[in-house]
Amino acid sequence: MASNLGKSNPRITNNWLFDEETAAKCGEIFITSAGGHWHSSSVTVLHNDVDTVKQLYSGLVIKESLDMLIKAYDANTQEIEIDGTLWRLGSGRRGGYRYSLNSRERGLVILVGSFYCLPEFNGHHLKIETSPCFTLDRTVDEIQAELDRVAKLFITQLAYTGCAVHFCADVQGWDCPHDLDYRITARAKRVMRHSGISTFEYNGSDVAMSYGKGQSFLFGTASSLQFAVYDKSKAVKDKGEEHLWPKIWEAKRNAECESAYDPEQTVWRIEARAHHSVVEQFARGINAQLKSFKAVSEHLTGLWQYALNNFRLDADKNYIDPFWQYLRDDIIFYHDAKAIEYKRVYKTTDQNPTPSDRAVMVCFGQLCSLYAKNQFSLAKASNYLVNSGIWANLCSIYTSRKLTPDDIFLDLDAKLCRFPFYRQKQLNL
């Protein structure tokens, strides 16, 4: 828990049906420490639910299934058909597993065969991760049943060993402070702030990061409790998810039974990511078994309140921000299938396609790598970059960050200098 918990703001209501005790808990008007007030109707929670599930299993690996993966991987097979679906086969080493299977159609990533346990022994040999297109289309029981069914294709003696969850709230009507990373009260002692090419860092245990002029904030580490606040409207465009999230948001109704979603306003996502070790610690605290997603789903509201207390936005040194208090105390998580058909909806061809910022920056990095490996001078690399076909996109991105083309050349030089043979060549000149 974050130390020195801020005080909650007093609450009142205009609803005459509420008694005094109910109004103090559920009133829509928050009296601030400065003597003003904040009304919860000023914001709209368009969506709050589970975004990602990571279910861990132990058991004995089915030899035939493992042999099939080994044979395909050794033959450098890119795709393999399992359970009527084509899966992209790759290494699972980064996750601590031997093989990974990825299907965008199914919305699943499967990690098989622990690196830390021989396949012939019972161990933590399976992890299945879901994407929103899998999770949002199913109830809790359906999610767990399908994950278990898929797990049985790879292991026997199946047992739950842990579950990690990402869950979130999407809101409109709230403007994220550009200095949120400074205003959040948390345990995080190591702060990294990225703005263009400037970076400064304080060492400590956890991490807080800010990207893109206050468009994205990330607190904590992936192996613990992580908390993110970011511009989901921009993320939807960058990831090509226009077929999914706007439909979810449009389903939210206001008092007039009209859609509460305004496509012209920014949607901010507040997201908690609980590692399975955090869920296990939480389980010990409430004396419960939370090894499966079905078990965890019953405690999502409690986990949410725990996360917002750990990463807390304060109004001043004494009181919590009323918006944060509203998110913490009034949002209830109850996962159910969304009555929206969005599976296997493909993007239509864009008549005027424009690459995402991420795609342009990835291309920029790859070009820098090629220039360095070919031992181009900075002048030669600069000339090639200007004529590469992405120069106009780079200028647009840097201008949006209040930078200039000169900053692009500074970044180019910095990226080239990461390669030892380039640095050596510069020293020899």
Side-chain angles (χ1 to χ4, degrees):
M1 298 280 286
S3 59
N4 301 320
L5 283 177
K7 297 178 183 177
S8 295
N9 299 280
R11 302 176 65 163
I12 59 174
T13 183
N14 287 327
N15 191 334
W16 62 272
L17 293 175
F18 282 14
D19 58 36
E20 188 175 338
E21 183 178 352
T22 304
K25 292 181 180 179
C26 307
E28 70 279 8
I29 303 171
F30 296 70
I31 307 301
T32 66
S33 58
H37 68 276
W38 180 85
H39 204 295
S40 61
S41 64
S42 63
V43 298
T44 302
V45 179
L46 297 172
H47 162 81
N48 65 286
D49 217 329
V50 176
D51 188 70
T52 303
V53 177
K54 299 181 180 181
Q55 180 68 66
L56 282 70
Y57 298 92
S58 69
L60 281 172
V61 177
I62 298 173
K63 187 177 184 303
E64 293 76 12
S65 297
L66 184 62
D67 289 345
M68 175 180 60
L69 296 180
I70 294 173
K71 183 177 179 181
Y73 187 80
D74 290 346
N76 200 28
T77 302
Q78 300 296 313
E79 291 185 325
I80 183 172
E81 183 175 350
I82 300 173
D83 196 33
T85 300
L86 279 177
W87 301 78
R88 189 170 74 249
L89 175 63
S91 171
R93 181 180 291 273
R94 289 185 62 186
Y97 293 82
R98 299 174 190 272
Y99 305 102
S100 70
L101 295 164
N102 190 328
S103 170
R104 294 188 66 181
E105 177 187 343
R106 295 280 286 272
L108 293 176
V109 176
I110 304 172
L111 299 172
V112 184
S114 172
F115 259 117
Y116 311 107
C117 181
L118 292 174
E120 53 265 32
F121 295 110
N122 192 309
H124 302 274
H125 285 301
L126 192 67
K127 179 180 181 180
I128 306 180
E129 302 179 6
T130 74
S131 69
C133 70
F134 177 93
T135 308
L136 294 175
D137 196 40
R138 293 170 170 83
T139 65
V140 170
D141 287 339
E142 289 170 344
I143 291 170
Q144 193 68 68
E146 180 62 10
L147 293 180
D148 294 350
R149 189 192 67 80
V150 172
K152 291 173 182 177
L153 299 173
F154 300 94
I155 61 174
T156 62
Q157 299 183 23
L158 180 149
Y160 304 123
T161 56
C163 180
V165 288
H166 298 183
F167 47 113
C168 61
D170 295 337
V171 300
Q172 278 189 326
W174 173 72
D175 291 324
C176 180
H178 66 87
D179 59 348
L180 183 73
D181 49 340
Y182 294 104
R183 291 181 55 190
I184 285 283
T185 300
R187 285 182 174 179
K189 297 178 182 177
R190 181 178 176 219
V191 178
M192 295 180 65
R193 184 179 182 87
H194 298 267
S195 177
I197 59 171
S198 61
T199 300
F200 67 85
E201 177 176 331
Y202 296 105
N203 291 325
S205 56
D206 292 336
V207 180
M209 292 183 284
S210 168
Y211 301 100
K213 294 294 182 182
Q215 291 179 334
S216 178
F217 299 89
L218 182 63
F219 306 88
T221 58
S223 60
S224 183
L225 179 64
Q226 204 167 45
F227 196 80
V229 179
Y230 57 96
D231 182 344
K232 186 62 179 176
S233 301
K234 183 178 185 301
V236 164
K237 294 177 182 177
D238 290 347
K239 295 180 180 179
E241 296 179 333
E242 292 91 342
H243 64 282
L244 172 59
W245 289 109
K247 291 185 179 181
I248 296 289
W249 299 331
E250 286 168 2
K252 178 70 175 183
R253 298 291 158 182
N254 58 23
E256 290 75 33
C257 291
E258 299 173 344
S259 177
Y261 170 54
D262 182 354
E264 301 302 319
Q265 280 195 45
T266 298
V267 177
W268 288 97
R269 170 160 291 191
I270 295 93
E271 181 175 338
R273 304 167 183 171
H275 189 261
H276 65 86
S277 62
V278 172
V279 174
E280 180 60 29
Q281 293 164 1
F282 187 81
R284 288 198 293 269
I286 62 173
N287 193 27
Q289 285 290 326
L290 302 182
K291 300 289 188 182
S292 69
F293 172 62
K294 185 175 181 179
V296 173
S297 67
E298 299 176 6
H299 301 277
L300 290 172
T301 301
L303 278 167
W304 175 255
Q305 293 170 349
Y306 177 81
L308 266 72
N309 274 330
N310 268 266
F311 301 98
R312 194 184 69 249
L313 179 62
D314 289 331
D316 52 40
K317 64 180 181 180
N318 292 317
Y319 284 89
I320 187 173
D321 185 281
F323 166 72
W324 214 255
Q325 181 182 342
Y326 168 70
L327 285 184
R328 182 195 66 186
D329 296 345
D330 288 37
I331 291 184
I332 305 298
F333 282 81
Y334 176 75
H335 182 83
D336 205 349
K338 298 295 182 291
I340 297 174
E341 179 59 41
Y342 55 82
K343 293 172 63 178
R344 300 197 69 179
V345 177
Y346 298 94
K347 280 187 75 176
T348 57
T349 302
D350 193 343
Q351 299 300 318
N352 297 291
T354 56
S356 68
D357 291 358
R358 180 178 181 275
V360 174
M361 295 308 292
V362 168
C363 186
F364 180 30
Q366 291 174 336
L367 286 174
C368 291
S369 175
L370 289 172
Y371 298 158
K373 290 177 180 178
N374 285 301
Q375 301 187 18
F376 286 4
S377 65
L378 178 60
K380 187 174 182 180
S382 299
N383 183 56
Y384 272 72
L385 181 63
V386 170
N387 294 283
S388 65
I390 68 165
W391 178 251
N393 301 101
L394 275 175
C395 289
S396 176
I397 292 170
Y398 275 67
T399 299
S400 70
R401 298 176 180 177
K402 294 181 171 54
L403 299 171
T404 69
D406 289 339
D407 293 306
I408 301 177
F409 294 123
L410 288 173
D411 278 0
L412 173 62
D413 186 40
K415 291 177 185 294
L416 293 174
C417 285
R418 293 176 184 174
F419 295 85
F421 40 80
Y422 176 82
R423 292 198 303 269
Q424 187 62 42
K425 182 180 178 180
Q426 296 299 101
L427 291 172
N428 293 336
L429 292 178

